[in-house]
Amino acid sequence: MTDENARHRPEEDAARLGLVVVGEAAALQSGDEAALDASVENIRETIEDLIDEPLTPRQEEVVERLASAGGTLTAGLSGALAAQTGRPVDDVLEGAARSIVWQERLAADRDRDRAAVDEAAGTEHREVEPEQRRMSDDQRQRSGEDTRRDAGHGDDGRVGAEEPEDRRHRRDER
């Protein structure tokens, strides 16, 4: 692992990969050859930055194809969601990218909060039990939903944030 990679948290790496997949989806949706070529190069560079040891040519090809397949799946689902909601595909993909960034920020905030608590208590970070982690994740998700709901103007990274009141009410009843 390079020194640069040693500083990365898994959430950062996952967010970066997610954004690469969304980038591939956007390139596929655009149909622009230059955008597709740039996306493939972005996939390669990202993989090189994230790996601990050089991959074999076969491993590299498999990982690139997985990222490309993820982009294809994301493009298809984004197109379907765009058609269903009447929104442009670019808006759906932008919402997906904002959601990825939002989730990574929440994870970074959680890690900083945990480190501050540990430092104040004079203890080192320890892994929490799975049940405690699940409860914390649930609380964080509810908190994030409250924050996004309070923002209220639809620019919160969620696709469909400006849904009609009657639809939101039916969804909330479930």
Side-chain angles (χ1 to χ4, degrees):
M1 184 183 293
T2 66
D3 289 338
E4 181 181 330
N5 288 342
R7 294 183 304 229
H8 289 237
R9 297 175 4 268
E11 296 87 355
E12 288 174 317
D13 294 342
R16 188 169 175 198
L17 288 170
L19 292 173
V20 165
V21 168
V22 171
E24 175 74 1
L28 288 167
Q29 285 289 342
S30 76
D32 179 8
E33 280 297 317
L36 287 169
D37 291 343
S39 178
V40 168
E41 185 59 30
N42 190 29
I43 290 170
R44 286 187 183 126
E45 288 175 6
T46 301
I47 292 167
E48 286 176 14
D49 287 347
L50 296 177
I51 60 172
D52 295 341
E53 300 175 16
L55 298 176
T56 67
R58 169 112 172 96
Q59 290 170 326
E60 188 172 325
E61 182 180 343
V62 167
V63 172
E64 287 174 12
R65 287 186 184 210
L66 284 170
S68 180
T72 300
L73 180 61
T74 302
L77 293 172
S78 297
L81 182 59
Q84 184 180 18
T85 61
R87 299 182 97 151
V89 175
D90 289 343
D91 288 355
V92 173
L93 290 170
E94 183 180 328
R98 283 195 315 249
S99 292
I100 291 168
V101 171
W102 180 259
Q103 289 300 315
E104 198 286 320
R105 286 181 183 160
L106 288 175
D109 289 347
R110 180 190 72 231
D111 289 348
R112 275 192 299 277
D113 292 347
R114 185 180 299 147
V117 167
D118 288 347
E119 184 177 322
T123 61
E124 292 186 26
H125 172 70
R126 61 176 174 73
E127 188 61 36
V128 296
E129 296 298 319
E131 183 62 30
Q132 290 174 306
R133 187 180 315 116
R134 185 170 33 257
M135 286 176 45
S136 176
D137 290 344
D138 290 346
Q139 290 167 343
R140 191 172 44 263
Q141 182 179 0
R142 283 192 301 277
S143 173
E145 289 168 356
D146 292 343
T147 302
R148 289 188 298 268
R149 190 178 322 112
D150 291 343
H153 47 75
D155 190 24
D156 58 8
R158 292 181 301 143
V159 175
E162 299 171 347
E163 66 184 322
E165 183 65 32
D166 64 323
R167 187 174 182 190
R168 188 177 315 119
H169 181 63
R170 285 193 309 265
R171 179 180 43 78
D172 290 344
E173 287 177 343
R174 287 185 234 149

